[in-house]
Amino acid sequence: ETESTFRAALLTSGPVSDAGWYAGAYDGLLLLEDSLGASVSHQQTATPAEFDEAFIAYASSGYDIIFAHGNEYQDAAIRAGEQFPDVTIIVSGGGRVSANVVPLIFRLEEGSYLAGMAAAYMTESKVVGMVGGVAIPPAQGTFVAFEAGVHAVDPEIEVLEVFTGDWNDVAAAKEATVAQLSRGADVIIHNLDAASFAVFQAVREVVDDGAVAYAVGMNSDQNAVAPDVILGSAVIRIADAFLATAQLWQDGRVGGAPIYASTEQGVIDFVFNPALVDRVPAEAVDHIARTKQAIRAGEIEIPRVIFVEGEDEGR
Amino acid sequence: MSQVELTLFLESAVRLGIPLALAAMGETITERSGVINIGLEGSIIAGALGGALGALAFEGAGLGVMSGAMAGMLVGLVFAAFAIGLGADQIITGTAVTIGGLGMTGAIYQARFGATGTELSLPTLAPVAIPVLSEIPLVGSALFAQAPTAYFAYLMAPIAWYLLFKTAWGLELRATGEAPAAAEAAGVRVRLVRLVATLFGGAMAGIAGAHLALAHAGTFAENMSAGKGFIAIAVVVLGRWNPILVLFAALFFGAASALQFFLQALAFALAYQIFLAIPNMQTLAALAGWVGKSRAPAALALPWEPHR
Amino acid sequence: MSAGIAPARAREAALLGLGAVTLTLGAGSVLLLLGGYDPAAAGAAMLRGSVGSWNTFVSITLVRSVPLLFAGLAVALAFRAGVWNIGAEGQLYAGAVGGVWVALTFTGLPSPLLVPAVLVASGLAGGLWALVPTLMRLRLGIGEVITTILMNFVGIYMAAWMVHGPLQEQRGVFPQTDRIIEAARLPALIPGTRLHIGFGLALVIAAVLAVMLRRSRFGFQIRAVGASPEAAAVAGRINPARVVFISFLASGAIAGLAGGAEVSGLTYALYEDLSDGWGYTAIAVALLGGLRPGGVVVTAIFFGALQAGAGAMQRDAGIPSAWVDVVEALVILAVLGLDRVRAARAATSTVEGGA
Amino acid sequence: MSDPLVRLRGVQRRFGRVQALAGADLDLRAGEVHGVLGANGAGKSTLFNVLGGLLAPDAGSVEIEGAQIALGSPRDAWSRGIGLVHQHFTLVPALSVRENLALGLRGRSLAEISRVVEATMERTGLRVPLEASVSAIGVGDRQRTEILKTLLRDPKVLVLDEPTAVLTPEEVDGLFDLLRELASEGRAVALVAHKLDEVLAVSDRLTVLRAGRTVLTTERVGATERALVAAMVGGGVADEIALGVHRMSLKPEVPALDPSTVVARLSGVTGDRLSNAALEVRAGEVLGVAGVEGNGQHELALVLAGRVRPATGGAQVPDEVAFIPQDRRTEGLVSDFDLTENIALALSRLDRFGAGPLMPWSGLAEEAERIRIRFDVTAPSVATLAGALSGGNQQRVIIGRELALGAQMLVAENPTRGLDVAAAAYVHGELARLAAEGLAIVLVSTDLDEVLGLSNRVVVMTRGRIVEVPKNERTREGVGALMLTGRSQAG
Ligand SMILES: Nc1ncnc2c1ncn2[C@@H]1O[C@H](COP(=O)(O)OP(=O)(O)OP(=O)(O)O)[C@@H](O)[C@H]1O
Ligand SMILES: Nc1ncnc2c1ncn2[C@@H]1O[C@H](COP(=O)(O)OP(=O)(O)OP(=O)(O)O)[C@@H](O)[C@H]1O
Ligand SMILES: [Mg+2]
Ligand SMILES: [Mg+2]
């Protein structure tokens, strides 16, 4: 019987079957089990009332590292961190830092900035749209960057924004998308969970009617979901980020400062949909590739929503 | 709004109203029999999963809708077994059925497609434009270029109305919901009537769920019913327990919901949470304006056991 | 329907109920096995996570029961008066907003003043949220079932707007309020545990309601109006509108306390999704508790244990959240079956019978 | 003699601790009208509910046309040709009369049903407003609807549980003619009623139940009222007074027209079925109000009792008015409350039980027990739910409670409806005694004998107007004519 090296837990506020944000985290947890031999556990919390409870339960039954996958966990994480100094808590998208509570910040802005550039090259109507779920800082950040990416290519392009208030409400997402399409948008990016499928469906319906329009995937590589309409995806490789974080932690290098996951480590990316990439002008593909290099090298400043307490301009 | 935008707005209103109309129409029949099924949400989500799995298995959206109806009905049967068979409290049973329906669909989905889900691509229910009718200016495309389930809802409204108010069966159903003791004394099989009405309601909610999965999203997602069961129950009241009015009430709610996205898309500088609350507030205002006193079936939610 | 039933029939009903319990639990086990999970481990985790130790029971189960307790009492009070308040969910959110607003605004107050102020504000806000459906019923004759459902949605969005807008934390990025100061937090009821005095307050309210309903004149009026408004008016010369008005608002206020106690006793800030449909669960809690305050206390703790056990099932037995919901639903259904057994036994042993 | 159509033997039925039937026997023969008598709570309704398939017996047998059968539901009973008109209405208030009539008649088209309804109304003379909602019609129309509903199914055995209480004398006569005719067609008819003269007038045979057992079955010929009452109440309690008071003529003198004795005064009260109604009620009198159902008597009673404030016109009524309302099951009692609670409903207001925010439960429970015993309510204890009482016993609870109120005025609508002979006599005696002690009593009743027998003054209501009946016209005929025409024969 192999002795497990450490115990890792994951908290999510939504179902891990969303093939997106939460699924990525769950994959990350399984990766820790497979690659590092961690013994793992997951709890899906429904309300803030459960946050403290879950942290205490995991910490007091000997878990070493807890991935709390969402900014909503940050206050409870700080409290638990004080009560259980030996445990390390990683808060995805969190804003508060302590010795053993560390935000893991995904620089998805970098990917969505590139997505914005792609959208700008492809729009004919000079109107593009963004459909969000809940207006939390990481989501707003991706939209700010998307808009910047668009305007980096063509400042004249109009960018629409809408939030449905629900990551999973497909009907709402569909109508929000239709509303933007009807206002002339022909490239739509989303920041949703399960409801993202409705965005693709809405775009597909106008495409089937003969229009030219594209959707942009987000969070995970969604290119295969709707290969007929998705131009490309702004990707977070969450599982890789978890693995890298766990390795850092094993080396004793986690604590007191945020961890950033970006294009630099290849955690964030923008990937064209291979099925549609031949429609993209070579000039655009090239420009985006060059920009990606520049971002990686820190030569381009991507606008973003700053939300970590005391965060400086560095990485 | 321009002409084009208005048309698009109306289309969107109808699209959003249809799942509510389907579920609420079924619930109307159920409630008319004296049973309030707040487990409707469970039937809707089951219909969504049943619809998705059926469409995949039979490689067709039509059979998917049928599977959705069956799944919704199955959930209705569980509700009926306790609320009608055992005479257990309808509200508690409905609460359990909602929780169980949401859980069971998630569990089945994960069992079938893996813990982290998958990017399903389903045969979808494409909109079908009805010749001539869909050419009517303004409302034509909104009403008559929709998914087939929409036409089913249009058809069901008068059919349900006729059944309810013009047939002996409808009379028994209404009597059962108003005064089960009197209905029983007149020879009506109260529990049988209630069972049938509940199964019908479950099937309609299942179709609503299948519509969500196959006509709206083109996929299944956990919790994708997003509270529509509760809104459908409100729509039943707004429609005064009359299938035809319920159809209009659902479209009204759909329009109010569509408005929020158009207002947001027009970039009104208001917090979007306020837009989200608009349909509910508009409905409250509408109630204050027109419904006045409408009365629920007198025996609604009261368990019934034959005297014996 | 108050019909005394014959003993033989009561026995049949009891058997039917027992059958239902066995069937539900059996079905649950089979389902879990089919899903590849161990029902015994699931059950053990559920028990351990809810009543496995005194601390577990106090710090998790009882803590979880607090909002259900307040909201359940609110629903029971309303239902007893014949007011179908399905709106505890919205009233809870309103109460949370009201409470957190006071906690964030009057930071200069000493704790013995600030804590009561927070609770009073949440009660007032919940009552205010109930005022709209109350007036729509009494002035316009519009049934409260629909208006309270609609107000629930409005309440949830109102709270969401608050944490994105007027009450958003200082830096204006996260959808939550600032943390409330220590002085505004509810002290522990049992030192060393997470149980805050909100639980004690709820018990006090339960006791007051119990005495009021059973012993007081106004409580009697509430029961009379709830059981038969016509007879209350004609035989009892009671003004049903007055009784409805007072009990509807009081119900809203108690539901509001659920939200206030949650933010000031547990989460210390307002977040979106504060409640997982507790206002709806509360209806089941109230009904299963027989609409009696004492019964509500028991069923609220039972539901608290169910939720506590659900968390432990995920953590300790590795059962996914969706499956946990299935188990929860089956447990509720099994309890319903047991309730039928109990009712049937009661019918055989008392004169009145009555369902 | 042929086999009876229905043979009930040794039927037993228990509700919790109450043995409602303890071995009841009954034969119903083709061609007969069979009167069934018994004190309140004797088990008459329970027995017929067993025959109607609503209740399952704990023991005993039900034979129909010689075959022993188990009736599983009312539907079964219908299909065996048993038609039951219940003591308490089993109509659906929210539906129209026509819909109520059609309910459960599967296999016939609505048009066909309408034809049969018309024909049956024609044949029986029972006329009902077909399109009206049942919630909007009076008790008389409801009773007619119930009877029609049963007749439409063409039953072989027709059972009517206290159908006459709410009908006018003419209608009672008409109904009895109809029952005789139905019997002569070869049906069996069973009739439950408390008025001995009525039952004796129509029946061929009689059965008396007491405490759940059949104590007497006899041919009409040779049966005396006295023997029947003796069987009903058991032994010597039945004396002449019990019979006499029921048909007494008190005819006390009208109290002096002293304005100081006016207890209540209405002037020009209009609205809700009342049109320009004016009335004075004086201490010490019984003011009888007669009229065909639905002419405003109920509304008048509500105004006089202070339960409704009139829209226009003046109404001076005492603060506290004892009130026996028309519908005991919705206005008089809360079915889900026990007897103490129902009594508390009215009496907890009284100072004599003490003030303060708490309910004086101990005093109220004692009072309830006192009323239970004084009015001989058949219930195991004051903790029995009102809904579980027999109809007559419910009425006793209300009367007992309202009389205990000690008000200056009593408004009573059909106070003895559903009471057995002895109880009705007792109530009549109480009313007379209380009037003599100075209580002002308004007696609204569809029972003309009761009105004429007890009242010092009589008024008639037609279409919301109040007309006083001259002393010399206070006869069944005179008042009857006034009720129909609104005009006195003399005037
Ligand atoms: N201070 C606390 N605050 C909140 N929750 C706590 C606290 N201490 C313990 N708990 C919770 O209560 C559970 C049981 O705690 P406790 O240590 O009292 O139980 P135990 O008897 O040791 O049981 P076990 O053997 O399962 O640990 C813990 O797993 C934890 O979730
Ligand atoms: N559903 C019930 N639950 C409990 N007790 C009942 C029920 N129905 C009848 N009883 C009791 O059974 C007894 C017989 O009642 P039943 O109604 O048969 O009397 P009845 O002869 O019809 O009287 P009445 O002349 O007052 O109508 C009464 O004591 C009554 O309280
Ligand atoms: Mg421990
Ligand atoms: Mg009777």
Side-chain angles (χ1 to χ4, degrees):
Chain A
E1 193 48 50
T2 58
E3 187 67 11
S4 65
T5 51
F6 66 101
R7 305 180 76 185
L10 168 68
L11 295 177
T12 62
S13 301
V16 298
S17 64
D18 66 344
W21 173 248
Y22 296 121
Y26 192 71
D27 284 336
L29 187 71
L30 298 183
L31 193 58
L32 299 191
E33 188 178 31
D34 288 349
S35 317
L36 305 179
S39 102
V40 300
S41 171
H42 165 236
Q43 180 177 356
Q44 181 184 326
T45 57
T47 60
E50 293 160 64
F51 298 168
D52 291 287
E53 175 192 313
F55 281 124
I56 294 170
Y58 276 131
S60 66
S61 46
Y63 280 79
D64 303 290
I65 181 165
I66 304 170
F67 288 87
H69 198 50
N71 64 72
E72 61 274 18
Y73 293 103
Q74 57 185 340
D75 292 339
I78 294 283
R79 284 194 288 270
E82 282 167 14
Q83 195 183 342
F84 299 95
D86 293 340
V87 77
T88 300
I89 302 177
I90 311 293
V91 182
S92 302
R96 301 181 64 193
V97 191
S98 77
N100 57 339
V101 178
V102 173
L104 171 58
I105 308 298
F106 297 105
R107 284 282 154 83
L108 184 55
E109 299 92 339
E110 298 177 356
S112 79
Y113 180 89
L114 299 172
M117 293 176 65
Y121 277 107
M122 298 306 286
T123 179
E124 291 181 0
S125 62
K126 302 294 170 202
V127 184
V128 299
M130 312 184 289
V131 179
V134 182
I136 58 169
Q140 284 165 325
T142 58
F143 283 181
V144 170
F146 179 81
E147 191 165 351
V150 170
H151 289 157
V153 174
D154 179 353
E156 301 292 298
I157 295 175
E158 188 185 352
V159 184
L160 307 174
E161 177 184 273
V162 66
F163 284 94
T164 65
D166 191 322
W167 304 105
N168 300 313
D169 187 338
V170 291
K174 174 112 178 234
E175 295 315 320
T177 311
V178 169
Q180 293 194 339
L181 290 168
S182 77
R183 294 200 51 78
D186 59 359
V187 183
I188 312 275
I189 192 171
H190 76 84
N191 197 333
L192 293 161
D193 285 336
S196 62
F197 299 101
V199 175
F200 308 144
Q201 180 67 16
V203 172
R204 179 183 284 137
E205 280 170 18
V206 294
V207 169
D208 288 349
D209 279 353
V212 177
Y214 300 97
V216 179
M218 182 73 99
N219 290 330
S220 62
D221 184 347
Q222 296 185 303
N223 292 343
V225 180
D228 46 340
V229 295
I230 296 184
L231 182 61
S233 297
V235 179
I236 313 179
R237 302 197 171 97
I238 299 173
D240 293 347
F242 275 26
L243 183 61
T245 303
Q247 283 165 333
L248 277 181
W249 169 80
Q250 282 183 317
D251 298 347
R253 286 162 56 202
V254 169
I259 299 170
Y260 295 97
S262 64
T263 43
E264 197 180 323
Q265 303 92 341
V267 168
I268 304 298
D269 204 350
F270 175 77
V271 282
F272 275 111
N273 174 7
L276 295 185
V277 71
D278 45 349
R279 294 199 206 162
V280 184
E283 171 212 349
V285 176
D286 183 51
H287 186 183
I288 289 168
R290 275 186 287 114
T291 309
K292 196 191 290 185
Q293 287 309 325
I295 294 172
R296 221 174 246 165
E299 290 157 10
I300 294 187
E301 194 61 44
I302 307 293
R304 59 177 196 262
V305 176
I306 293 178
F307 51 83
V308 179
E309 266 172 8
E311 186 180 17
D312 55 18
E313 291 307 296
R315 310 193 135 195
Chain B
M1 268 191 254
S2 74
Q3 173 90 16
V4 176
E5 276 167 352
L6 191 58
T7 308
L8 286 162
F9 163 72
L10 290 175
E11 282 178 19
S12 163
V14 175
R15 252 196 318 269
L16 285 168
I18 289 304
L20 292 177
L22 288 164
M25 227 178 276
E27 177 72 6
T28 301
I29 298 294
T30 309
E31 290 195 16
R32 279 284 186 171
S33 81
V35 175
I36 184 162
N37 180 4
I38 65 164
L40 208 57
E41 182 89 4
S43 280
I44 296 179
I45 192 75
L49 181 63
L53 292 179
L56 278 180
F58 304 121
E59 291 172 7
L63 288 170
V65 174
M66 302 278 227
S67 320
M70 298 298 292
M73 190 144 61
L74 195 67
V75 174
L77 184 66
V78 174
F79 174 84
F82 280 83
I84 302 171
L86 270 188
D89 184 273
Q90 294 174 10
I91 306 278
I92 310 176
T93 310
T95 306
V97 164
T98 293
I99 298 174
L102 292 169
M104 199 67 224
T105 48
I108 294 174
Y109 176 73
Q110 291 180 25
R112 172 83 165 71
F113 300 108
T116 53
T118 187
E119 295 138 352
L120 278 183
S121 242
L122 299 175
T124 51
L125 272 183
V128 180
I130 296 188
V132 187
L133 286 179
S134 60
E135 320 275 286
I136 302 171
L138 215 56
V139 295
S141 63
L143 289 172
F144 301 110
Q146 293 282 355
T149 28
Y151 306 126
F152 177 69
Y154 302 160
L155 270 180
M156 271 323 277
I159 291 177
W161 179 87
Y162 183 84
L163 280 175
L164 200 51
F165 295 109
K166 297 294 161 193
T167 66
W169 184 78
L171 183 58
E172 293 188 1
L173 182 87
R174 285 181 291 136
T176 298
E178 290 288 348
E184 200 207 34
V188 176
R189 285 185 229 183
V190 169
R191 292 200 284 188
L192 182 67
V193 169
R194 288 186 165 188
L195 174 67
V196 172
T198 304
L199 293 182
F200 176 78
M204 290 294 284
I207 295 174
H211 174 93
L212 280 181
L214 300 175
H216 254 295
T219 188
F220 173 84
E222 278 189 59
N223 303 339
M224 72 188 287
S225 47
K228 289 189 178 53
F230 287 101
I231 296 189
I233 287 171
V235 164
V236 173
V237 185
L238 188 63
R240 295 179 171 184
W241 291 272
N242 174 331
I244 292 179
L245 293 182
V246 161
L247 175 63
F248 286 111
L251 293 179
F252 172 82
F253 201 94
S257 310
L259 194 60
Q260 70 186 334
F261 300 117
F262 275 83
L263 293 177
Q264 269 200 72
L266 290 172
F268 272 90
L270 251 183
Y272 73 87
Q273 295 85 5
I274 294 178
F275 288 118
L276 292 172
I278 283 179
N280 304 285
M281 295 197 284
Q282 252 176 293
T283 307
L284 278 170
L287 278 166
W290 86 285
V291 166
K293 292 186 206 285
S294 76
R295 211 181 46 82
L300 190 61
L302 301 179
W304 164 252
E305 280 180 279
H307 261 253
R308 309 308 294 139
Chain C
M1 289 286 107
S2 74
I5 53 177
R9 289 174 211 285
R11 265 193 299 279
E12 268 170 39
L15 280 179
L16 209 61
L18 277 181
V21 176
T22 321
L23 210 67
T24 349
L25 296 181
S29 305
V30 171
L31 281 175
L32 280 174
L33 280 173
L34 283 178
Y37 304 100
D38 176 359
M46 176 147 229
L47 286 177
R48 214 179 323 112
S50 53
V51 293
S53 71
W54 171 246
N55 201 346
T56 305
F57 179 67
V58 173
S59 290
I60 304 183
T61 293
L62 291 187
V63 168
R64 289 272 196 121
S65 73
V66 174
L68 295 174
L69 194 44
F70 278 113
L73 290 170
V75 170
L77 171 64
F79 280 22
R80 286 300 278 272
V83 172
W84 305 112
N85 180 12
I86 314 293
E89 183 80 356
Q91 291 145 15
L92 180 153
Y93 272 99
V97 170
V100 87
W101 176 74
V102 166
L104 293 172
T105 309
F106 301 97
T107 47
L109 289 179
S111 185
L113 289 182
L114 187 51
V115 165
V118 166
L119 292 175
V120 167
S122 61
L124 284 178
L128 197 69
W129 212 250
L131 184 65
V132 176
T134 306
L135 292 180
M136 286 183 81
R137 165 165 166 173
L138 292 177
R139 287 289 150 85
L140 304 172
I142 299 169
E144 63 275 12
V145 170
I146 179 172
T147 52
T148 49
I149 291 181
L150 293 170
M151 287 298 286
N152 283 343
F153 286 95
V154 179
I156 292 168
Y157 291 129
M158 187 267 302
W161 172 56
M162 286 291 162
V163 298
H164 283 274
L167 291 182
Q168 193 173 23
E169 46 93 26
Q170 268 174 18
R171 289 164 54 232
V173 287
F174 292 105
Q176 65 172 84
T177 63
D178 282 316
R179 272 151 287 141
I180 61 175
I181 58 171
E182 293 280 350
R185 300 184 185 178
L186 301 186
L189 183 68
I190 301 176
T193 69
R194 295 173 64 220
L195 192 64
H196 52 84
I197 58 162
F199 183 74
L201 178 63
L203 289 188
V204 169
I205 291 178
V208 168
L209 284 182
V211 171
M212 186 195 75
L213 285 170
R214 199 145 12 109
R215 304 221 46 106
S216 82
R217 289 176 188 272
F218 186 66
F220 182 65
Q221 295 192 355
I222 287 180
R223 293 197 291 126
V225 169
S228 168
E230 299 91 347
V234 172
R237 308 197 80 165
I238 296 165
N239 178 356
R242 176 174 163 273
V243 171
V244 164
F245 184 81
I246 295 174
S247 19
F248 207 156
L249 295 192
S251 169
I254 298 174
L257 283 173
E262 198 66 7
V263 290
S264 60
L266 206 60
T267 67
Y268 304 138
L270 179 61
Y271 302 84
E272 284 182 287
D273 299 324
L274 180 72
S275 152
D276 183 25
W278 292 329
Y280 298 107
T281 311
I283 301 171
V285 168
L287 289 168
L288 204 56
L291 302 185
R292 283 184 303 273
V296 171
V297 172
V298 174
T299 49
I301 293 174
F302 166 74
F303 274 81
L306 206 54
Q307 295 186 357
M313 268 165 75
Q314 291 193 56
R315 288 191 301 267
D316 299 348
I319 298 188
S321 164
W323 278 104
V324 169
D325 287 347
V326 175
V327 173
E328 247 188 278
L330 289 172
V331 171
I332 299 175
L333 290 178
V335 168
L336 276 179
L338 273 182
D339 192 54
R340 299 309 297 159
V341 179
R342 190 195 51 72
R345 290 177 60 122
T348 51
S349 60
T350 68
V351 196
E352 293 83 20
Chain D
M1 178 139 296
S2 62
D3 255 1
L5 270 179
V6 171
R7 190 202 296 271
L8 299 170
R9 280 293 173 275
V11 179
Q12 298 188 18
R13 171 70 200 213
R14 211 149 74 83
F15 295 102
R17 271 192 283 139
V18 177
Q19 191 72 44
L21 290 176
D25 306 324
L26 182 68
D27 288 347
L28 300 177
R29 298 182 190 145
E32 76 168 349
V33 175
H34 195 127
V36 176
L37 296 163
N40 294 134
K44 305 178 295 292
S45 298
T46 306
L47 183 63
F48 286 124
N49 282 338
V50 167
L51 179 59
L54 259 113
L55 292 174
D58 298 332
S61 65
V62 178
E63 281 176 31
I64 294 175
E65 296 182 292
Q68 184 163 336
I69 52 164
L71 296 169
S73 68
R75 201 183 173 81
D76 280 357
W78 286 119
S79 69
R80 306 267 175 185
I82 292 165
L84 179 53
V85 176
H86 297 263
Q87 177 173 12
H88 296 123
F89 298 129
T90 55
L91 298 174
V92 185
L95 299 182
S96 71
V97 171
R98 184 192 294 283
E99 287 174 321
N100 267 283
L101 291 174
L103 186 60
L105 289 180
R106 296 291 286 273
R108 299 196 219 174
S109 75
L110 290 179
E112 195 185 329
I113 292 172
S114 290
R115 268 197 308 281
V116 181
V117 168
E118 292 292 343
T120 312
M121 286 207 299
E122 194 57 43
R123 185 165 72 89
T124 60
L126 295 166
R127 294 242 145 239
V128 289
L130 286 175
E131 303 314 325
S133 156
V134 165
S135 59
I137 63 176
V139 275
D141 277 334
R142 288 185 195 201
Q143 186 69 72
R144 283 183 282 279
T145 307
E146 287 280 9
I147 298 171
L148 270 175
K149 189 171 96 180
T150 308
L151 291 179
L152 282 180
R153 297 163 191 250
D154 198 18
K156 277 192 294 234
V157 179
L158 175 64
V159 179
L160 301 104
D161 194 352
E162 292 191 42
T164 56
V166 297
L167 300 179
T168 63
E170 291 72 29
E171 285 172 332
V172 171
D173 291 345
L175 177 66
F176 284 177
D177 289 345
L178 176 65
L179 296 186
R180 293 241 49 94
E181 188 188 323
L182 292 169
S184 70
E185 290 168 6
R187 294 171 223 263
V189 178
L191 172 73
V192 178
H194 286 298
K195 289 195 187 164
L196 291 177
D197 45 359
E198 283 181 6
V199 180
L200 285 169
V202 70
S203 306
D204 302 303
R205 291 200 305 149
L206 296 148
T207 288
V208 178
L209 292 185
R210 185 170 77 232
R213 281 177 220 282
T214 301
V215 291
L216 178 73
T217 295
T218 171
E219 297 292 324
R220 158 73 184 88
V221 188
T224 65
E225 291 197 3
R226 189 185 170 124
L228 292 173
V229 172
M232 278 160 63
V233 299
V237 194
D239 51 29
E240 298 295 342
I241 303 165
L243 290 171
V245 177
H246 179 56
R247 275 181 280 135
M248 75 190 158
S249 290
L250 279 182
K251 303 237 160 63
E253 284 312 297
V254 182
L257 258 180
D258 175 355
S260 70
T261 65
V262 170
V263 173
R265 176 183 286 124
L266 303 188
S267 54
V269 173
T270 300
D272 198 16
R273 295 209 180 177
L274 294 176
S275 89
N276 203 14
L279 195 65
E280 275 183 1
V281 187
R282 294 172 213 136
E285 74 167 347
V286 178
L287 173 65
V289 180
V292 176
E293 264 279 332
N295 274 282
Q297 301 96 311
H298 181 53
E299 289 71 16
L300 176 74
L302 286 173
V303 170
L304 279 174
R307 263 57 174 189
V308 164
R309 226 181 284 279
T312 55
Q316 290 169 277
V317 297
D319 284 343
E320 190 66 85
V321 181
F323 184 37
I324 300 169
Q326 148 174 289
D327 189 341
R328 57 179 166 241
R329 301 220 302 169
T330 63
E331 293 177 324
L333 295 172
V334 177
S335 321
D336 290 339
F337 275 9
D338 66 22
L339 298 189
T340 303
E341 289 170 316
N342 269 293
I343 279 160
L345 210 49
L347 299 191
S348 61
R349 294 194 298 271
L350 299 183
D351 291 339
R352 73 176 136 108
F353 293 105
L358 293 188
M359 286 292 279
W361 279 124
S362 59
L364 287 165
E366 280 165 28
E367 180 74 19
E369 182 63 17
R370 204 181 60 71
I371 292 172
R372 183 178 79 90
I373 290 169
R374 177 124 184 262
F375 287 81
D376 198 16
V377 178
T378 314
S381 77
V382 290
T384 307
L385 297 186
L389 294 187
S390 80
N393 282 302
Q394 292 178 341
Q395 191 72 1
R396 290 167 189 234
V397 173
I398 296 176
I399 293 173
R401 173 184 76 195
E402 297 298 320
L403 291 185
L405 207 48
Q408 273 185 302
M409 180 161 94
L410 165 70
V411 177
E413 294 187 82
N414 294 313
T416 58
R417 176 180 293 175
L419 293 191
D420 65 38
V421 213
Y426 177 71
V427 168
H428 287 156
E430 280 295 290
L431 293 183
R433 188 180 63 76
L434 290 164
E437 284 176 9
L439 184 70
I441 298 178
V442 178
L443 172 66
V444 180
S445 178
T446 42
D447 181 347
L448 271 187
D449 293 334
E450 186 173 67
V451 170
L452 292 172
L454 280 175
S455 309
N456 308 103
R457 279 196 300 145
V458 177
V459 297
V460 164
M461 289 203 73
T462 46
R463 275 182 250 110
R465 290 178 183 284
I466 297 175
V467 181
E468 177 139 7
V469 182
K471 200 164 182 178
N472 58 352
E473 285 181 31
R474 274 191 235 150
T475 58
R476 282 186 76 105
E477 297 70 31
V479 175
L482 243 158
M483 277 163 53
L484 293 180
T485 62
R487 251 174 286 125
S488 98
Q489 285 173 327

